[in-house]
Amino acid sequence: MIPKEKIDRDGDHRDAVIEGHFPSTSRMFLNFLGCLLAIPVYYFSTVHSRYPVTLDIVITIALTELNRYIVERRRADFARSEQQLAEETRSWNEKEEWSPVHLETQPLSAAPRLECLAAVVGWREDPALYTRALESYKSARTCAFFLAGIDGDEAEDQDMVTVFSQVFPDHSAVIHVPEPLGEVAERIRDKTLAIQRQQGQSINVAEAEAVAMQTCLNLARTILNQHNIQIGTPNGIRQLCLKQRHMHKKGIMFTAYVFSLIIADILGIEFMWSSDSDTIVFPDSLEQTINSIASDPKAGGASSGLVVHNSRETAVTSLASAVYWGELYLTRSTPACTGTSDCQSGPSTAFRLAALPAILVPWYLQVAFGKRMIVNEDRHLTTNLLLRGWNVIFASDTLAATDTPTTMARWLKQQVRWARATHIESLLRPKVYILSHPLLFYGMVKREFGPAIGAFAVMWYFFTSHMFITISVMDFVYRIMISSAYNFLRNPHRLTQKDLVWTVPGVFFYYIPLPAVQIYSMLTMAADGWGTSMRASGDMERAKRESRRKAWFELGFFVVWMSIVAGVIAKALTSYYGFVWHERMAATLVAMGAAGFAAWKITIGAQ
């Protein structure tokens, strides 16, 4: 265990660093001007460009390469610092006057810092998949402690506990948390605010959140002591499973993160890896992600790229895999080169633990539209880091493997959930753009308004038969050719011939529904839930009995949208070939009916 005086000294150092993160007034003014400039830049690069889609992919690829160069430079800086530390340690050993007192005077930051704690959360995961996920951490480098969080304590949740005990039979323990720590934090915060009002004090929300956080930390330490959990000793616990009453993903994440802070404090660990119960890590996933931020005290978090480990399961998973390694790999890189990645993906995220205590309570208690939000856990964590001046890195050349939905219905539900979180964080937190590089704002404009403009253009042509924006077929052809060539040559996920077959279909699979997903998710931003159904066998049968009304509410937008898209294509083709009006009308109606039925069949009808 680290001596208390060293922890205190390091804590003071971290507080000083946190305060120094915020940009100066002049810098914030320049950021504001940059945001204003980003709007006309985006407008002229799209509306007044002959090949806007091609130009966009060229810019995106350039920023992706720049981000990879910067990440490699960060790793090189860390390697140099490690080498320098090794040389200094060797010189100490060569001195006759060396003593433990000499080592004690060295700053804590000189200690090796790359070890991390891994926190993995889930809810009624498929046992076979959960087993594969946990097994992968046995070979993960730099993982010094493993913490599993299970969102449920009923009989049906015991399968995950059993898997944990089978994968980690030695040096492991299971703890039932009597009350979710998120509820404890909420109660203590409200009580502290009430006391402030009763005593006539000025309301200090930050102080109330700090009190709530400290109470949760004390409670977590007490629970570990009550269960006689020995950590950091030769025969101590190295894997711990926490289970609590079922709430939601945010609830179990909060509890797991609080326990992680206590355990990391005991072990002297500076970083935490956070992931989901369906994610499989590679031996270098944790190490390569963490060493991209290890040498930068201003870096509060990082995330790796993602590939799909069940890509051969269905046609939908094959298409989704092409989206992950192609489209998402590129789009996530847009603002990342400036240290302002706007989403640390839930399955593959690393945090500097010093950044978490100040943000966990406000993150957990987030309110939007007068309602507690539980669907945007990863994006809101990232936003809180950026609002407090931390850099957030995207280590795009490092990979972890996640599970993707196997049906079109579940894929669309996942995309809608992600889009809701994106809207909430992008549109309701404007302060983050003043504190961050203007490229973050540019990426937001492109992501939020690009699909919306596309949806408007399609609807405009459908109702008026006039084009809102000029569309060039060759523009899309060039774009697909350039992105495919780049991914084949430079994507960190080495592609096979089978992967290449899905490249072009994957582009249409992602971008055709995207405008509808964008608009529908904007209209339903306050909806909540885990976003995907539980995958344990008994619960799968229960999920199949979902009502038709609910299915239409969740997926009806896709049926309507595909009908409109088919109608637009039919109108354009019949107009090009000179059909008379009644022939154009008949072709449009037939196309809309066929497309609508097909969309219904693969989504609502399939359930």
Side-chain angles (χ1 to χ4, degrees):
M1 184 179 296
I2 298 175
K4 183 180 185 302
E5 60 272 13
K6 294 183 70 175
I7 295 175
D8 292 340
R9 184 175 67 246
D10 189 55
D12 294 340
H13 168 69
R14 288 172 178 166
D15 290 342
V17 172
I18 291 172
E19 291 176 0
H21 284 173
F22 293 98
S24 63
T25 303
S26 60
R27 179 63 192 181
M28 288 191 286
F29 179 71
L30 291 175
N31 290 342
F32 175 72
L33 292 181
C35 293
L36 293 180
L37 182 62
I39 298 175
V41 168
Y42 179 71
Y43 176 78
F44 284 107
S45 66
T46 53
V47 177
H48 292 281
S49 174
R50 185 177 181 182
Y51 298 106
V53 179
T54 302
L55 178 61
D56 176 71
I57 195 63
V58 170
I59 295 174
T60 301
I61 288 174
L63 292 174
T64 300
E65 284 298 298
L66 178 59
N67 178 61
R68 289 183 64 167
Y69 168 77
I70 291 174
V71 169
E72 282 300 317
R73 193 175 65 182
R74 286 174 166 273
R75 294 197 182 110
D77 291 341
F78 175 72
R80 280 194 297 269
S81 66
E82 289 291 280
Q83 183 178 3
Q84 181 180 1
L85 173 62
E87 292 175 354
E88 291 176 354
T89 303
R90 190 161 50 246
S91 66
W92 294 338
N93 292 333
E94 292 172 355
K95 292 181 179 180
E96 295 181 355
E97 65 273 16
W98 181 90
S99 70
V101 176
H102 179 74
L103 181 60
E104 181 67 22
T105 62
Q106 303 306 311
L108 185 61
S109 58
R113 301 174 298 165
L114 200 56
E115 284 190 333
C116 73
L117 177 150
V120 177
V121 302
W123 173 49
R124 298 188 184 177
E125 188 59 82
D126 174 70
L129 178 54
Y130 192 47
T131 300
R132 292 180 62 196
L134 298 193
E135 288 282 358
S136 68
Y137 283 89
K138 289 184 175 181
S139 59
R141 295 194 292 269
T142 75
C143 183
F145 193 94
F146 182 86
L147 177 67
I150 299 176
D151 184 43
D153 57 0
E154 300 178 2
E156 294 165 306
D157 303 299
Q158 187 60 34
D159 286 346
M160 292 183 70
V161 178
T162 302
V163 168
F164 172 85
S165 300
Q166 290 173 347
V167 174
F168 301 116
D170 303 319
H171 303 286
S172 63
V174 178
I175 291 179
H176 177 260
V177 181
E179 182 181 9
L181 296 186
E183 293 184 348
V184 175
E186 183 175 10
R187 185 174 65 252
I188 298 300
R189 174 186 179 274
D190 292 345
K191 182 178 179 180
T192 304
L193 292 174
I195 293 174
Q196 290 177 354
R197 295 189 189 96
Q198 292 173 0
Q199 296 180 351
Q201 302 174 1
S202 59
I203 301 301
N204 190 330
V205 176
E207 179 183 345
E209 291 171 347
V211 171
M213 186 66 204
Q214 189 59 53
T215 301
C216 291
L217 291 170
N218 294 339
L219 180 57
R221 192 181 294 273
T222 300
I223 291 173
L224 291 175
N225 292 335
Q226 288 175 344
H227 287 80
N228 195 27
I229 301 296
Q230 300 295 320
I231 297 173
T233 60
N235 296 318
I237 297 298
R238 294 197 290 271
Q239 299 93 24
L240 179 64
C241 177
L242 304 173
K243 61 178 182 177
Q244 66 180 27
R245 172 170 47 82
H246 172 59
M247 295 180 66
H248 39 68
K249 186 177 180 181
K250 234 179 184 180
I252 189 60
M253 285 176 68
F254 184 88
T255 297
Y257 286 6
V258 171
F259 273 88
S260 296
L261 286 167
I262 295 299
I263 295 170
D265 181 34
I266 296 172
L267 295 175
I269 292 175
E270 191 174 355
F271 300 101
M272 178 184 74
W273 169 270
S274 176
S275 188
D276 299 333
S277 57
D278 60 1
T279 301
I280 298 171
V281 298
F282 302 115
D284 65 344
S285 296
L286 282 65
E287 179 185 40
Q288 290 289 86
T289 304
I290 291 170
N291 68 13
S292 67
I293 61 175
S295 64
D296 181 7
K298 295 182 180 180
S303 61
S304 75
L306 286 170
V307 293
V308 173
H309 60 67
N310 62 330
S311 60
R312 300 286 184 262
E313 195 166 346
T314 66
V316 171
T317 60
S318 295
L319 290 166
S321 178
V323 172
Y324 269 88
W325 58 252
E327 302 305 318
L328 297 183
Y329 160 71
L330 290 170
T331 55
R332 287 183 63 193
S333 298
T334 299
C337 60
T338 61
T340 54
S341 177
D342 58 358
C343 180
Q344 292 177 275
S345 181
S348 56
T349 292
F351 293 99
R352 187 181 297 275
L353 286 165
L356 288 183
I359 69 173
L360 284 185
V361 175
W363 163 74
Y364 179 76
L365 298 177
Q366 180 195 14
V367 175
F369 308 109
K371 180 179 180 180
R372 283 280 301 281
M373 302 307 300
I374 62 173
V375 301
N376 57 331
E377 64 284 339
D378 48 4
R379 279 196 175 271
H380 193 51
L381 270 172
T382 309
T383 301
N384 273 280
L385 289 176
L386 294 173
L387 284 171
R388 285 159 177 80
W390 292 98
N391 291 332
V392 180
I393 310 303
F394 176 41
S396 60
D397 59 347
T398 303
L399 300 175
T402 189
D403 184 85
T404 196
T406 57
T407 66
M408 191 68 184
R410 290 188 63 201
W411 166 262
L412 287 170
K413 291 177 185 178
Q414 183 191 67
Q415 296 304 300
V416 169
R417 174 179 177 265
W418 288 356
R420 287 171 181 151
T422 300
H423 302 324
I424 291 170
E425 298 306 312
S426 299
L427 303 177
L428 303 184
R429 299 290 185 274
K431 181 181 177 181
V432 72
Y433 303 115
I434 306 300
L435 299 173
S436 305
H437 193 280
L439 199 56
L440 177 66
F441 181 80
Y442 176 82
M444 181 278 293
V445 171
K446 186 174 73 168
R447 181 184 61 243
E448 289 294 305
F449 298 103
I453 292 172
F456 180 80
V458 170
M459 298 294 292
W460 183 263
Y461 185 84
F462 180 78
F463 287 109
T464 69
S465 298
H466 296 291
M467 286 190 176
F468 177 72
I469 55 176
T470 303
I471 298 176
S472 169
V473 175
M474 291 308 300
D475 188 20
F476 288 99
V477 173
Y478 293 148
R479 192 265 185 210
I480 292 174
M481 291 175 59
I482 292 173
S483 64
S484 299
Y486 174 76
N487 279 305
F488 178 75
L489 296 172
R490 287 289 292 162
N491 196 294
H493 179 49
R494 295 296 88 193
L495 307 180
T496 65
Q497 290 183 348
K498 291 183 178 180
D499 293 323
L500 292 174
V501 171
W502 297 97
T503 302
V504 175
V507 173
F508 292 99
F509 173 76
Y510 180 64
Y511 282 105
I512 289 179
L514 182 60
V517 169
Q518 188 83 343
I519 299 301
Y520 178 72
S521 58
M522 280 187 176
L523 298 175
T524 58
M525 275 195 284
D528 53 23
W530 269 75
T532 53
S533 59
M534 45 193 139
R535 283 175 285 213
S537 57
D539 299 313
M540 290 285 287
E541 295 300 321
R542 196 182 317 159
K544 291 179 182 178
R545 297 194 292 268
E546 187 177 34
S547 69
R548 292 282 178 178
R549 182 178 180 180
K550 183 179 179 182
W552 270 103
F553 173 78
E554 293 178 337
L555 300 167
F557 76 93
F558 177 70
V559 177
V560 174
W561 174 251
M562 294 307 297
S563 298
I564 293 174
V565 170
V568 166
I569 294 174
K571 290 183 71 173
L573 290 176
T574 54
S575 176
Y576 178 80
Y577 287 107
F579 284 28
V580 297
W581 74 269
H582 63 275
E583 292 175 331
R584 292 201 300 268
M585 182 63 69
T588 300
L589 292 175
V590 170
M592 290 180 66
F597 176 77
W600 172 85
K601 188 69 175 177
I602 63 175
T603 54
I604 299 173
Q607 297 186 85

